[in-house]
């Protein structure tokens, strides 16, 4: 979908949104009155935004952590992990595709999430995993 493709300066070379549309599906987006886990009405099947030129600021500003953080390995590609990760202030958020609700609880994911949670707490933050209505604060 490449929501924030033109807004982000610090993208990791060689990574692209491709056919991923998770950030047009999993989060709620106030400007679009889009609930969580509902496909945005502007989303093009197979990747893309049919309202790309007029998409809201939230979309323009957003890239998931896999696009901007080289420390996230290839297995964190949302097309592979079925999760999207982002950081806002003290909160690291992991939104899980409800179609793959348990993947985050398996390695290599859960071990890394626990390490990230420890690191976040060390800095005064926290890490939360959302799977539909299920919310887990990772310890
Ligand atoms: S979740 Fe990440 S990789 Fe997927 S479309 Fe959004 S920004 Fe691109
Ligand atoms: S408006 Fe476009 S970029 Fe924003 S969520 Fe919808 S499809 Fe994605």
């Amino acid at each position: 979908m490449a929501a924030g493709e033109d807004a982000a300066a610090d993208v990791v070379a060689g990574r692209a949104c491709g056919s991923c549309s998770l950030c047009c599906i999993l989060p709620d987006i106030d400007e679009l009155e889009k609930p969580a886990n509902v496909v945005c009405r502007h989303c093009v099947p197979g990747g893309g935004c049919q309202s790309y030129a007029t998409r809201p600021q939230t979309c323009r500003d957003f890239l998931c952590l896999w696009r901007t953080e080289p420390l996230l390995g290839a297995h964190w590609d949302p097309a592979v992990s079925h999760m999207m990760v982002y950081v806002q202030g003290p909160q690291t958020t992991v939104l899980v595709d409800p179609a793959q609700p348990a993947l985050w609880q398996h390695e290599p994911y859960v071990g890394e999430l626990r390490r990230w949670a420890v690191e976040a707490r060390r800095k005064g933050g926290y890490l939360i995993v959302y799977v539909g209505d299920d919310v887990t604060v990772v310890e």
Side-chain angles (χ1 to χ4, degrees), residues 1 3 23-24 29 32 34 40 42-43 48-51 55-56 59:
M1 167 297 270
C23 59
C24 303
I29 302 175
L32 297 166
K34 189 190 98 52
C40 173
H42 302 296
C43 190
C49 173
Q50 63 187 7
S51 298
R55 69 201 188 286
C59 304

Side-chain angles (χ1 to χ4, degrees), residues 92 111-123 125-128 137-139:
T92 301
E112 281 185 80
L113 290 172
R114 286 180 180 140
R115 284 194 292 279
W116 295 351
V118 169
E119 182 65 15
R121 279 201 303 278
R122 196 178 62 78
K123 297 175 179 172
Y126 49 93
L127 186 150
I128 302 183
V137 179
V138 176
E139 299 294 336

Side-chain angles (χ1 to χ4, degrees), residues 1-3 16-17 20-23 62-64 66-67 77-78 84:
M1 167 297 270
C17 293
C20 178
S21 294
L22 278 192
C23 59
F62 184 80
L63 280 175
C64 74
W66 179 75
R67 291 291 316 272
D77 178 345
M84 55 174 280

Side-chain angles (χ1 to χ4, degrees), residues 12-69:
V12 179
R15 293 185 181 176
C17 293
S19 61
C20 178
S21 294
L22 278 192
C23 59
C24 303
I25 300 171
L26 301 186
D28 65 288
I29 302 175
D30 290 343
E31 292 139 294
L32 297 166
E33 298 183 355
K34 189 190 98 52
N37 300 306
V38 171
V39 180
C40 173
R41 62 186 180 278
H42 302 296
C43 190
V44 177
C49 173
Q50 63 187 7
S51 298
Y52 192 77
T54 58
R55 69 201 188 286
Q57 197 62 42
T58 299
C59 304
R60 294 172 186 277
D61 292 342
F62 184 80
L63 280 175
C64 74
L65 208 58
W66 179 75
R67 291 291 316 272
T68 61
E69 176 49 73

